[in-house]
Amino acid sequence: MKPTIEVLTDKAELIERSQTVIVEKIRGAIAQQGRCTIALAGGSTPKPIYGAIAQKDLPWDKLFIFWGDERYVARDHPDSNQGMARSVWLDQVPIPAENVFPVPTMAPEPAAAAASYEQTLRDFFQVSGAAVPRLDIVLLGLGEDAHTASLFPHTEALQVRDRLVTVGNKLGEARLTVTVPLINQAHSVIFIVSGANKQEALAHVFSAESDDMAYPARLIQPRGEVWWLLDAAAGANLGLSAG
Ligand code: 6PG
């Protein structure tokens, strides 16, 4: 499906538009199927968006939270994606604790944690074998190197097609990440990208000839819809008008 690309005037507009699109998708999924499953992105860009969503009046008991990736740290570590989302959003709303599925990061081996999270996904979605669950929404950011989730350039995680969760590798730092097949199975994938420092990555993602292994976000070709919500600083050279 052709991506929807929106370039917003500035970061404030990007935050506002992002929360509007996400909330619309949440409400739509709940209206259609009685629940919404969403995988959250980490990093800094989503933080104010999560804070804005926390202000909304949503049927929180019908929303089920997963993560697209996680640093291999405890939940109270400043780098924790779970910790970030809880601090500005999940701990601020009456979402049942059993609706939130954090990535386990305390197993001695990241690979064991990845297998455990995979089983959590399989159990929740009641899938087994080669079946790939279909999340309603997957939120993604974009690194300056065009990584997304914790799918970093030229790493083994990019090639994993027979699992839902694997160990990512950021310059030797272990991370846990959902795999390309799981992201591409989603109903709605929403990239949210801010800042001039992401221009080059975006140019490679949208170019005809760049290398998928060098620019991993190029691997995200969902069967469902994909949104790119950019601020003008990030989207400046894509030849798209803001607003
Ligand atoms: C993470 C994210 C990662 C992030 C990008 C962009 O755990 O860091 O999942 O993929 O989305 O690195 O990060 P910023 O939003 O901080 O630029």
Side-chain angles (χ1 to χ4, degrees):
M1 192 183 282
K2 196 169 168 351
T4 299
I5 306 173
E6 293 187 12
V7 180
L8 288 308
T9 306
D10 55 25
K11 183 149 187 189
E13 262 205 20
L14 175 65
I15 292 165
E16 178 58 28
R17 179 64 179 149
S18 298
Q19 70 86 9
T20 299
V21 171
I22 294 165
V23 167
E24 276 173 7
K25 297 291 170 197
I26 290 172
R27 288 193 167 122
I30 291 171
Q32 199 166 24
Q33 58 195 21
R35 76 175 191 190
C36 176
T37 57
I38 183 170
L40 303 185
S44 58
T45 304
K47 189 168 181 178
I49 299 165
Y50 296 163
I53 295 172
Q55 305 304 314
K56 297 296 179 185
D57 178 18
L58 287 169
W60 298 110
D61 63 326
K62 295 184 171 59
L63 183 62
F64 297 85
I65 305 284
F66 302 87
W67 274 264
D69 72 321
E70 183 58 275
R71 293 82 181 277
Y72 209 64
V73 294
R75 154 181 168 176
D76 60 356
H77 188 285
D79 290 349
S80 169
N81 289 338
Q82 175 195 177
M84 179 270 278
R86 282 187 184 278
S87 65
V88 298
W89 176 9
L90 303 178
D91 291 350
Q92 312 303 325
V93 298
I95 188 167
E98 61 271 21
N99 286 31
V100 180
F101 298 87
V103 179
T105 57
M106 303 317 287
E109 282 301 320
S116 168
Y117 202 53
E118 170 140 353
Q119 196 55 53
T120 297
L121 288 163
R122 291 191 179 284
D123 293 346
F124 179 87
F125 287 96
Q126 297 179 341
V127 298
S128 59
V132 179
R134 190 170 202 196
L135 282 151
D136 294 308
I137 305 167
V138 173
L139 301 182
L140 293 173
L142 184 74
E144 292 183 36
D145 57 1
H147 81 262
T148 194
S150 282
L151 299 166
F152 288 90
H154 304 298
T155 57
E156 288 176 21
L158 303 184
Q159 318 267 6
V160 174
R161 294 293 180 274
D162 60 350
R163 273 166 287 157
L164 306 177
V165 183
T166 192
V167 179
N169 178 334
K170 176 180 183 179
L171 305 174
E173 174 202 338
R175 296 210 175 163
L176 294 182
T177 185
V178 294
T179 58
V180 171
L182 182 59
I183 297 172
N184 283 343
Q185 183 73 348
H187 185 277
S188 300
V189 172
I190 305 174
F191 282 94
I192 303 168
V193 187
S194 169
N197 60 326
K198 306 296 177 73
Q199 283 179 15
E200 187 182 343
L202 281 166
H204 282 291
V205 169
F206 287 105
S207 77
E209 73 282 344
S210 291
D211 171 9
D212 293 356
M213 294 300 114
Y215 304 99
R218 293 172 59 85
L219 294 165
I220 308 308
Q221 305 288 337
R223 51 176 283 197
E225 58 180 15
V226 55
W227 291 67
W228 287 88
L229 301 176
L230 317 172
D231 64 11
N237 297 331
L238 290 180
L240 304 162
S241 57

